[in-house]
Amino acid sequence: MTGVQVLLRMLLLTLAAAACVELTAVYVGSMRAVRPNPRREAMLRVRAPGPDIGRIPEFIGEGILFALVTVAGRVVFRLRLSAPPGNEGKMLSLELERRAAETGPGGGM
Amino acid sequence: MPQTSATARTAEPRHSTPRSHWRLKITLGLDATLAAAICALEEVRFTGLVMHEWLGIAFAGMAMAHLLLSWPWIASQSRRIFTGRRARARVNYLMNLTLFAGAAAVIWSGIRISQKAVPALRGTNAAAQIDWRWDRVHNQFSTWMLIFAGLHLAMNWDWALAAIGKLFGGGREGGL
């Protein structure tokens, strides 16, 4: 993979992202003006700029939520999107006639 | 967090070269970092505003690297999306597209409401007036992004397990 290829791919991804951003801007433009929520504004403006280690439980909580979504998705995708087994839709043959012919009348008992 | 298509995965040699081993290591490390970053970015009070904004900018770069590493999959699936018959491939493609669009929206809205990082990059100390509509979009879309990222991992769970097995010697190499 050459540098030019990488740059070209990055350009393509940027263009695709720009298209998504443009659609988001259209959505934002259609929104009514949002009055600043005083609580949220205070949080944004006065929010402690540094990390707060005491908030680790919240971070772990987000991790748990992420894991739960993954597990739920795993279950759903396994149930709904897994390829069907090869014998699905085919009649199941017990081959009773062949067995009877092989063993003869009353055979096998 | 997929890196290669199913075809590309199976096409990979059974006994990988040191180069492909390194690539796998980088890819898996990047994916794990992205997952941790998504969780950290969701909790601004944990990271603080400054780290949240810089981490968000770093996240954009990491997401770009993730997509570049996944390019074989993107290229092959984009060609096949309208002709392929497998529902799983179509669902996976649409889900990844949604995740991409959501990430683009979250990153851009984050830039629009940035109070620390973007003004610092511009060389100005004064933060721009916040457009609260972008703030709302940022919050709404970031929650959806966490959900879609979880589903993305779920869809590529087998690949992730196989990659971990290959790197840490637990077997399950067949999926790669």
Side-chain angles (χ1 to χ4, degrees), chain A residues 10-32:
Chain A
M10 284 173 75
L11 184 71
L12 267 173
L13 287 171
T14 310
L15 281 174
C20 296
V21 164
E22 200 54 48
L23 287 174
T24 314
V26 170
Y27 169 62
V28 169
S30 72
M31 283 166 82
R32 280 182 297 170

Side-chain angles (χ1 to χ4, degrees), chain A residues 5-99:
Chain A
Q5 265 182 321
V6 173
L7 283 176
L8 204 65
R9 288 170 185 182
M10 284 173 75
L11 184 71
L12 267 173
L13 287 171
T14 310
L15 281 174
C20 296
V21 164
E22 200 54 48
L23 287 174
T24 314
V26 170
Y27 169 62
V28 169
S30 72
M31 283 166 82
R32 280 182 297 170
V34 178
R35 282 209 335 230
N37 177 348
R39 201 168 136 258
R40 172 108 182 112
E41 189 172 21
M43 209 174 104
L44 245 176
R45 301 259 187 225
V46 191
R47 194 183 280 163
D52 182 359
I53 301 299
R55 298 280 181 182
I56 278 185
E58 279 94 329
F59 169 61
I60 293 171
E62 295 291 345
I64 291 171
L65 178 65
F66 183 78
L68 282 175
V69 172
T70 303
V71 170
R74 178 92 187 114
V75 170
V76 171
F77 295 148
R78 255 189 114 84
L79 287 177
R80 304 297 307 165
L81 296 178
S82 293
N87 61 352
E88 189 172 284
K90 289 179 186 165
M91 296 289 280
L92 185 66
S93 167
L94 298 175
E95 297 180 336
L96 293 175
E97 285 175 10
R98 190 173 61 83
R99 281 188 201 174

